[in-house]
Amino acid sequence: MRRKWLLAMAAGVALALASQGAQAAEKIKIGFLPGVVDPFYQVMQVGVEKAARDLGIDVVTQIPPTWGVEAQTPLLDAMVARGDLNYIITAPVDKDQMVGPLKAAVDRGIKIITVDTFLGNGDYVNGPVKFPISYIGSDNVEGGRIAADGLAKAIGGKGTVYINSTNPNVSSVEGRAQGFKEEMAKKFPDIKVLGPDFNLDDANRAAQQTAAVLQRDPDLAGVFGTNVFSAQGAGTAVVNAGLGGHVQVVAYDATKQAIELMDKGVVSLVLAQKPFDMGYLAVMFAQADAAGVTSLPRRVETGFAIIDKENVKDPAIARFIYQVPGK
Ligand code: T6T
């Protein structure tokens, strides 16, 4: 009798251990590798860390200090070399040049989710690059169209406007400039578009470039800054030239500084992306994939909040202004 009981207990413990084993096998570890240190990705990191806490997942974060393949690739390679990551959530800084390094990660058994920016043409079902599980981010071409409509309205439908952007071959800002130009060409024949100039994600360079355009073209009516640093530099140049309110700025990315410039009448429209959602959802997707979910969407559009003077105090809108921890 006693032997039977002992045997039954041993079987029970073995079962418990086996199920613990199954749980341990499902526990994943994620690498988070955004584009650069900036308020947009800092908020995305908040989303990643919140989801990781909620789901009990370990995340290793590496943030490149500057924008570029040379800065992002060694961090990626180091993440792969650790050998303990199952997923990497990343914003590729070049839609073509990061394909090889990320494919090398896949070959080592790591699954990739891209956030904010995409590889190839972003169509992971039919496009040239198919290996990422999903692409979670804004519809940047649509964002460019919204920026064009906003700037056209702010300048009364005519005049010359200028695009200041970061780097070529970056899916996000490239899409924004494309949408902006297409919308202007389609709807506003009396608006001439200059640029983009590329500031290499440096606000000082963006300010110098915008100042040079303001000098060359004293009738400039508006500027579209395609991201945090472009808009920041454009705004600074307009303020320094004493042209706040005369030259309208549309800012992609809802930093506190962009909102302050809107309060001063320099910026007329701010497009807030949803970086928290991008980070949170990406971690959830990794967990779901690891659990065997096979119907995850390959593309998730996270949408915008469009902020202007009229709605900026509305809490339902103001919550999308990028809140960087500790700032
Ligand atoms: O605008 C964001 C991001 O969407 C873009 O890909 C790169 O620049 C930012 O990070 C803002 O600085």
Side-chain angles (χ1 to χ4, degrees), residues 80-231:
V80 174
R82 295 169 57 101
D84 63 346
L85 300 179
N86 314 94
Y87 293 83
I88 291 179
I89 295 171
T90 188
V93 293
D94 186 294
K95 64 186 183 178
D96 299 317
Q97 291 188 64
M98 289 312 294
V99 173
L102 284 164
K103 178 69 176 50
V106 172
D107 292 344
R108 297 277 298 271
I110 300 173
K111 294 191 178 180
I112 305 297
I113 296 172
T114 72
V115 278
D116 175 44
T117 52
F118 60 70
L119 295 170
N121 66 4
D123 178 354
Y124 297 154
V125 178
N126 300 307
V129 179
K130 297 188 171 63
F131 63 76
I133 296 177
S134 191
Y135 159 43
I136 304 172
S138 311
D139 178 344
N140 286 298
V141 177
E142 175 64 9
R145 289 189 204 111
I146 295 169
D149 289 336
L151 194 52
K153 189 173 162 204
I155 66 170
K158 58 178 191 310
T160 302
V161 299
Y162 161 66
I163 307 174
N164 192 275
S165 193
T166 63
N167 304 69
N169 230 37
V170 180
S171 71
S172 54
V173 289
E174 191 175 71
R176 294 166 200 172
Q178 180 199 328
F180 184 88
K181 283 183 169 175
E182 284 174 2
E183 185 79 346
M184 288 299 195
K186 197 168 113 192
K187 287 208 202 154
F188 305 102
D190 296 331
I191 295 180
K192 182 180 162 197
V193 180
L194 306 176
D197 279 334
F198 296 112
N199 60 49
L200 311 182
D201 222 22
D202 175 347
N204 290 330
R205 197 174 281 124
Q208 284 161 14
Q209 290 168 335
T210 307
V213 176
L214 284 169
Q215 281 224 326
R216 270 201 311 269
D217 199 330
D219 291 334
L220 193 76
V223 186
F224 172 36
T226 68
N227 84 332
V228 167
F229 300 113
S230 315

